[in-house]
């Protein structure tokens, strides 16, 4: 990200007032990496006959992913991850907090590593609940 950020994008910042170290290069590289990984995982899961999501009241819920659903979810997750990261950065800025914890000094803390994951989990859960 740093190499491409300086060479191709001239270090253009994504949201300098919210998170000054995030760049467009990092966003694009992260988006592409997430999209490829999520799409491949969706295609892999699609190769199974069905996926067991949950068991409630002795009833197992099975669902087969269509290829277009895998690609759609890959796009959603690829956008939701950096948006979640920026959202949590904005919340920290608003409250004057640099890190959510001090467990991993210099890296924003343990909980800061989960910003993107928390938002992706929320978004995918909302899509799943809407689809049911």
């Amino acid at each position: 990200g740093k190499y491409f950020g300086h060479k191709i994008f001239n270090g253009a910042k994504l949201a300098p007032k919210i998170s000054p170290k995030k760049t467009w290069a990092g966003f694009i590289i992260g988006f592409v990496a997430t999209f490829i990984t999520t799409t491949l995982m969706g295609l892999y899961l699609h190769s199974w006959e069905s996926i067991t999501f949950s068991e409630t009241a002795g009833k197992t819920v099975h669902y087969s992913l269509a290829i277009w659903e895998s690609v759609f979810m890959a796009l959603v997750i690829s956008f939701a991850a950096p948006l979640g990261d920026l959202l949590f950065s904005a919340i920290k800025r608003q409250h004057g907090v640099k890190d959510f914890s001090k467990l991993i000094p210099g890296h924003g803390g343990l909980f800061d590593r989960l910003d993107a994951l928390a938002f992706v989990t929320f978004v995918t859960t909302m899509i799943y609940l809407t689809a049911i």
Side-chain angles (χ1 to χ4, degrees), residues 10-116:
N10 296 324
K13 304 295 182 187
L14 181 63
K17 290 184 179 180
I18 297 173
S19 189
K21 292 186 179 180
K22 288 182 181 53
T23 63
W24 278 103
F27 171 78
I28 291 169
I29 290 168
F31 177 87
V32 170
T34 303
F35 180 75
I36 289 170
T37 303
T38 310
T39 300
L40 291 175
M41 190 59 148
L43 293 174
Y44 173 73
L45 290 174
H46 181 359
S47 68
W48 294 358
E49 201 166 301
S50 65
I51 305 165
T52 302
F53 275 113
S54 64
E55 293 186 26
T56 51
K59 193 178 198 181
T60 305
V61 178
H62 293 285
Y63 183 74
S64 295
L65 289 173
I67 292 174
W68 72 269
E69 290 171 314
S70 298
V71 173
F72 173 75
M73 287 306 295
L75 285 171
V76 168
I77 289 169
S78 298
F79 274 114
L83 289 178
D85 201 22
L86 287 173
L87 173 68
F88 282 91
S89 292
I91 292 168
K92 287 187 292 187
R93 284 250 181 248
Q94 184 178 12
H95 294 285
V97 176
K98 171 129 176 59
D99 301 328
F100 279 136
S101 74
K102 297 181 192 273
L103 290 175
I104 308 174
H107 291 273
L110 176 64
F111 294 113
D112 292 344
R113 296 281 144 207
L114 304 175
D115 292 351

Side-chain angles (χ1 to χ4, degrees), residues 73 76-77 80-81 84 88 114-129:
M73 287 306 295
V76 168
I77 289 169
F88 282 91
L114 304 175
D115 292 351
L117 180 61
F119 194 67
V120 165
T121 302
F122 171 75
V123 170
T124 53
T125 300
M126 291 300 107
I127 291 172
Y128 172 72
L129 292 174

